Amino acid sequence: MREDVINFIKSVSLGTFTVSEELPRDDSGVALYIKNPKKLYVDQDQVSQEPVIQTLSGFDLHNEATTVSVYFTADAKTLPANYSLLVDTLKKGKDVLPTGGFNNRTVDVQSEYEADLLLTRIDYTFSKITT
C-alpha cells in the first residue's frame, strides 16, 4: 500500500513540495518531516483487524483495515500558496486503486503546530472483509 500511495503522490503536482522515499523517522527516531519542511514522507502500512461476525463453528469474519500515513510540514507564519490545493489533491489519494480487494476507502486530515511549523498528517485507510 505504501508504494501505491507514493506512486499516487508522485503523479500529482506538488508545487514547491517534494516527496521522499524514506520513512518519516531516522534511526534515532527523529521526525524527518520536522527537519525537512515541504517534503512529504509516507509511513509503513499499519494493519488492524476487528471482528465483524464470530460463530461457534470458527468461521469468523473480520474487518481488516490498512492505514498509510503521510506527514509533511510547512512554515506556519507564511504557508506556501499551494498548501490548501496540495491538501485537497492529496485527499483524492483514497481513490487510488490498491491491490487486495479493498471495499472501503477513507481519508483523514489532521493539522497541528510544532514550534513555528504547521504539521499535516493525512491518513489513508483501506478496509476489507476477511475470514
Side-chain angles (χ1 to χ4, degrees):
M1 294 301 306
R2 179 177 187 268
E3 287 301 317
D4 292 325
V5 171
I6 289 173
N7 290 337
F8 165 74
I9 294 171
K10 286 181 176 180
S11 73
V12 300
S13 174
L14 300 176
T16 59
F17 289 80
T18 59
V19 64
S20 174
E21 296 274 341
E22 296 177 281
L23 291 171
R25 289 173 180 74
D26 64 13
D27 293 337
S28 64
V30 175
L32 293 175
Y33 48 87
I34 299 293
K35 291 172 38 177
N36 303 311
K38 296 173 71 174
K39 186 174 270 195
L40 287 79
Y41 290 91
V42 181
D43 206 353
Q44 296 276 34
D45 299 1
Q46 301 296 315
V47 180
S48 64
Q49 280 192 344
E50 294 179 16
V52 176
I53 297 174
Q54 295 179 319
T55 64
L56 295 174
S57 66
F59 180 77
D60 300 337
L61 294 178
H62 298 90
N63 183 35
E64 181 177 289
T66 303
T67 302
V68 179
S69 299
V70 176
Y71 301 88
F72 62 96
T73 58
D75 185 351
K77 296 178 293 235
T78 54
L79 281 176
N82 69 326
Y83 174 81
S84 294
L85 178 62
L86 175 66
V87 171
D88 288 341
T89 302
L90 291 176
K91 289 194 305 191
K92 295 176 184 170
K94 73 175 180 63
D95 297 326
V96 69
L97 298 174
T99 57
F102 295 99
N103 57 14
N104 191 21
R105 298 169 179 88
T106 60
V107 64
D108 181 43
V109 179
Q110 302 169 23
S111 300
E112 65 183 68
Y113 292 98
E114 183 80 29
D116 63 343
L117 295 172
L118 177 63
L119 166 60
T120 304
R121 174 180 169 172
I122 300 176
D123 293 328
Y124 301 102
T125 303
F126 306 93
S127 55
K128 63 182 176 181
I129 302 295
T130 63
T131 54

